[in-house]
PDB file of all heavy atoms in Angstrom:
ATOM      1  N   GLY N  85      63.437  71.905 168.677  1.00 93.00           N
ATOM      2  CA  GLY N  85      64.032  72.982 167.832  1.00 93.00           C
ATOM      3  C   GLY N  85      63.834  74.381 168.327  1.00 93.00           C
ATOM      4  O   GLY N  85      64.279  75.366 167.664  1.00 93.00           O
ATOM      5  N   THR N 136     104.638  67.143 190.086  1.00 96.00           N
ATOM      6  CA  THR N 136     105.663  66.096 190.040  1.00 96.00           C
ATOM      7  C   THR N 136     106.881  66.460 189.191  1.00 96.00           C
ATOM      8  O   THR N 136     107.955  65.865 189.315  1.00 96.00           O
ATOM      9  CB  THR N 136     105.067  64.793 189.449  1.00 96.00           C
ATOM     10  OG1 THR N 136     104.664  65.013 188.092  1.00 96.00           O
ATOM     11  CG2 THR N 136     103.853  64.380 190.273  1.00 96.00           C
ATOM     12  N   GLY N 168      82.184  60.562 173.263  1.00 86.00           N
ATOM     13  CA  GLY N 168      82.284  60.642 171.811  1.00 86.00           C
ATOM     14  C   GLY N 168      82.311  62.094 171.335  1.00 86.00           C
ATOM     15  O   GLY N 168      83.005  62.467 170.386  1.00 86.00           O
ATOM     16  N   THR N 196      84.230  44.042 169.984  1.00 93.00           N
ATOM     17  CA  THR N 196      84.954  44.175 168.693  1.00 93.00           C
ATOM     18  C   THR N 196      85.926  45.353 168.766  1.00 93.00           C
ATOM     19  O   THR N 196      87.065  45.301 168.281  1.00 93.00           O
ATOM     20  CB  THR N 196      83.950  44.396 167.551  1.00 93.00           C
ATOM     21  OG1 THR N 196      83.006  43.329 167.528  1.00 93.00           O
ATOM     22  CG2 THR N 196      84.691  44.499 166.213  1.00 93.00           C
ATOM     23  N   ALA N 200      90.079  45.492 168.420  1.00 96.00           N
ATOM     24  CA  ALA N 200      90.723  46.352 167.431  1.00 96.00           C
ATOM     25  C   ALA N 200      91.729  47.272 168.122  1.00 96.00           C
ATOM     26  O   ALA N 200      92.818  47.535 167.571  1.00 96.00           O
ATOM     27  CB  ALA N 200      89.679  47.169 166.678  1.00 96.00           C
ATOM     28  N   GLY N 215      90.388  55.866 181.180  1.00 92.00           N
ATOM     29  CA  GLY N 215      89.061  55.275 180.966  1.00 92.00           C
ATOM     30  C   GLY N 215      88.442  54.865 182.288  1.00 92.00           C
ATOM     31  O   GLY N 215      89.062  55.013 183.350  1.00 92.00           O
ATOM     32  N   TYR N 328      76.730  64.712 201.228  1.00 96.00           N
ATOM     33  CA  TYR N 328      75.835  65.684 200.602  1.00 96.00           C
ATOM     34  C   TYR N 328      75.378  65.185 199.241  1.00 96.00           C
ATOM     35  O   TYR N 328      76.136  64.564 198.483  1.00 96.00           O
ATOM     36  CB  TYR N 328      76.530  67.029 200.385  1.00 96.00           C
ATOM     37  CG  TYR N 328      76.909  67.787 201.601  1.00 96.00           C
ATOM     38  CD1 TYR N 328      78.234  67.886 202.010  1.00 96.00           C
ATOM     39  CD2 TYR N 328      75.914  68.458 202.358  1.00 96.00           C
ATOM     40  CE1 TYR N 328      78.546  68.636 203.160  1.00 96.00           C
ATOM     41  CE2 TYR N 328      76.231  69.227 203.507  1.00 96.00           C
ATOM     42  CZ  TYR N 328      77.573  69.272 203.876  1.00 96.00           C
ATOM     43  OH  TYR N 328      77.925  70.018 204.975  1.00 96.00           O
ATOM     44  N   GLU N 381      85.104  50.937 200.553  1.00 93.00           N
ATOM     45  CA  GLU N 381      86.228  51.036 201.479  1.00 93.00           C
ATOM     46  C   GLU N 381      86.395  49.717 202.282  1.00 93.00           C
ATOM     47  O   GLU N 381      87.508  49.288 202.560  1.00 93.00           O
ATOM     48  CB  GLU N 381      86.066  52.225 202.434  1.00 93.00           C
ATOM     49  CG  GLU N 381      86.212  53.569 201.718  1.00 93.00           C
ATOM     50  CD  GLU N 381      86.399  54.726 202.680  1.00 93.00           C
ATOM     51  OE1 GLU N 381      86.463  54.490 203.914  1.00 93.00           O
ATOM     52  OE2 GLU N 381      86.448  55.882 202.204  1.00 93.00           O
ATOM     53  N   GLU N 449      74.814  43.128 215.810  1.00 93.00           N
ATOM     54  CA  GLU N 449      74.904  42.820 217.245  1.00 93.00           C
ATOM     55  C   GLU N 449      73.530  42.572 217.839  1.00 93.00           C
ATOM     56  O   GLU N 449      73.431  41.806 218.833  1.00 93.00           O
ATOM     57  CB  GLU N 449      75.625  43.956 217.966  1.00 93.00           C
ATOM     58  CG  GLU N 449      77.107  44.081 217.570  1.00 93.00           C
ATOM     59  CD  GLU N 449      77.808  45.203 218.259  1.00 93.00           C
ATOM     60  OE1 GLU N 449      77.129  46.080 218.870  1.00 93.00           O
ATOM     61  OE2 GLU N 449      79.054  45.249 218.267  1.00 93.00           O
ATOM     62  N   ASN N 504      79.519  29.729 198.228  1.00 56.00           N
ATOM     63  CA  ASN N 504      79.034  30.789 199.096  1.00 56.00           C
ATOM     64  C   ASN N 504      79.787  30.755 200.427  1.00 56.00           C
ATOM     65  O   ASN N 504      80.205  29.686 200.872  1.00 56.00           O
ATOM     66  CB  ASN N 504      77.526  30.647 199.393  1.00 56.00           C
ATOM     67  CG  ASN N 504      76.702  30.769 198.140  1.00 56.00           C
ATOM     68  OD1 ASN N 504      76.717  29.916 197.294  1.00 56.00           O
ATOM     69  ND2 ASN N 504      75.972  31.879 198.046  1.00 56.00           N
TER      70      ASN N 504
END
Side-chain angles (χ1 to χ4, degrees):
T136 65
T196 304
Y328 293 108
E381 289 194 5
E449 292 180 346
N504 296 71

